[in-house]
């Protein structure tokens, strides 16, 4: 799933490599996409590399290769991605009405017959903790989540790609549990949708009429937007990790 500019750049690199066998320069890519600066090209290349479409070769100037092309592209969309709307399945899937009353003493040993059995939550795809991506795909499978990790309401899970939230303890390959909601308090980690196209996992900060999406890694800059360009799609409530 690529943005229009990401798709245009990928195809330009692919066609140039077929014609000459040499990757285009940053200036050629900038002119081809009608961008004002090379920094925009750098962000697009980084996004394509993170998503496995290209590979940059070390110790060689201008060296890259196209690893794969999009599996399918609907020409009627002109390469544009449909608006992200995570369609969390209604009913009991991912929903917890209220936590059960806690007994006076709780055994640490799990019991298959008690109310502590996992709640099945839909996995909706991948989310970027780095360069924003059009991350949310369709419901692919479900995972069991401990009920104490969930409150009331709808929840969904996302697989994390990228390292921009490592100082918050969120690493590439983790699975985050998100409570579906359209608002958040300053300082909360949220799934944020930028310009109805790109989703990312960041800490939300509000100041006046602006919204900042703050990384938890000094290598990434904080991105600031007018509040009408950012929509909250959910709030982080838990994290699962495999070792």
């Amino acid at each position: 799933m690529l943005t229009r500019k990401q798709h245009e750049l990928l195809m330009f690199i692919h066609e140039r490599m077929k014609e000459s066998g040499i990757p285009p320069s940053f200036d050629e890519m900038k002119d081809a996409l009608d961008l004002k600066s090379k920094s925009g090209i750098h962000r697009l290349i980084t996004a394509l590399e993170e998503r496995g479409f290209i590979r940059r070769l070390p110790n060689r100037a201008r060296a890259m290769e196209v690893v794969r092309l999009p599996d399918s592209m609907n020409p009627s969309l002109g390469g544009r991605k449909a608006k992200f709307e995570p369609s969390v399945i209604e009913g009991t899937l991912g929903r917890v009405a209220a936590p059960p009353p806690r007994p006076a003493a709780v055994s640490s040993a799990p019991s298959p017959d008690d109310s502590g059995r996992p709640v099945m939550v839909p996995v909706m795809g991948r989310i970027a903790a780095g360069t924003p991506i059009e991350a949310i795909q369709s419901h692919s499978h479900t995972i069991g989540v401990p009920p104490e990790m969930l409150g009331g309401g709808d929840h969904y899970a996302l697989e994390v790609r990228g390292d921009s939230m490592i100082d918050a303890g969120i690493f590439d390959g983790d699975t985050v549990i998100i409570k579906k909601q359209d608002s958040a308090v300053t300082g909360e980690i949220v799934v944020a949708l930028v310009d109805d196209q790109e989703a990312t996992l960041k800490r939300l900060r509000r100041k006046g009429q602006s919204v900042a999406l703050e990384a938890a890694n000094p290598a990434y800059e904080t991105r600031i937007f007018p509040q009408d360009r950012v929509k909250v799609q959910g709030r982080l409530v838990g994290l699962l990790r495999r070792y």
Side-chain angles (χ1 to χ4, degrees):
M1 294 185 178
L2 299 175
T3 65
R4 180 172 58 85
K5 286 294 186 183
Q6 289 166 0
H7 181 266
E8 288 178 0
L9 180 59
L10 178 62
M11 298 311 297
F12 178 70
I13 295 172
H14 176 63
E15 293 299 327
R16 179 58 63 87
M17 293 286 289
K18 284 202 308 182
E19 292 174 0
S20 64
I22 301 173
S25 68
F26 269 51
D27 283 324
E28 290 171 332
M29 289 185 279
K30 176 176 68 71
D31 293 340
L33 270 68
D34 196 26
L35 296 180
K36 295 181 179 179
S37 68
K38 296 180 184 179
S39 62
I41 293 295
H42 177 75
R43 286 193 294 270
L44 292 172
I45 287 177
T46 300
L48 290 172
E49 185 176 30
E50 287 180 348
R51 298 171 70 181
F53 287 96
I54 65 172
R55 181 187 298 120
R56 283 184 280 192
L57 306 179
N59 304 319
R60 294 172 58 188
R62 285 178 54 182
M64 68 178 71
E65 60 181 347
V66 176
V67 178
R68 66 186 180 97
L69 296 175
D71 295 332
S72 62
M73 179 61 62
N74 187 342
S76 66
L77 296 178
R80 292 183 182 272
K81 173 77 165 59
K83 178 181 176 181
F84 158 46
E85 291 290 349
S87 53
V88 175
I89 296 176
E90 297 296 335
T92 59
L93 187 62
R95 179 185 292 272
V96 177
R102 301 180 68 88
V106 179
S107 170
S108 60
S111 170
D113 297 323
D114 64 19
S115 60
R117 59 178 177 266
V119 176
M120 301 311 294
V121 172
V123 178
M124 303 303 294
R126 297 176 178 178
I127 184 73
T131 304
I133 60 175
E134 296 172 296
I136 312 304
Q137 303 169 0
S138 59
H139 166 215
S140 58
H141 61 285
T142 59
I143 57 172
V145 177
E148 60 269 21
M149 191 178 290
L150 308 175
D154 292 327
H155 298 78
Y156 57 95
L158 296 167
E159 298 171 356
V160 174
R161 291 294 179 265
D163 62 355
S164 75
M165 298 302 289
I166 56 175
D167 288 350
I170 302 171
F171 299 100
D172 183 68
D174 286 348
T175 298
V176 289
I177 309 302
I178 305 296
K179 180 180 180 182
K180 186 180 179 183
Q181 59 187 63
D182 58 10
S183 63
V185 177
T186 289
E188 291 182 324
I189 297 176
V190 303
V191 173
L193 182 68
V194 180
D195 295 333
D196 287 332
Q197 285 193 331
E198 295 182 323
T200 188
L201 186 72
K202 292 291 183 290
R203 193 177 301 278
L204 182 77
R205 304 285 186 189
R206 297 185 186 276
K207 186 175 182 180
Q209 300 300 309
S210 298
V211 173
L213 300 179
E214 179 183 275
N217 181 338
Y220 292 81
E221 64 181 11
T222 297
R223 304 177 72 206
I224 300 175
F225 301 93
Q227 61 181 1
D228 61 353
R229 291 181 59 190
V230 178
K231 295 178 182 177
V232 173
Q233 300 290 304
R235 174 175 61 87
L236 176 71
V237 297
L239 181 144
L240 302 175
R241 177 174 298 153
R242 292 184 177 181
Y243 292 93

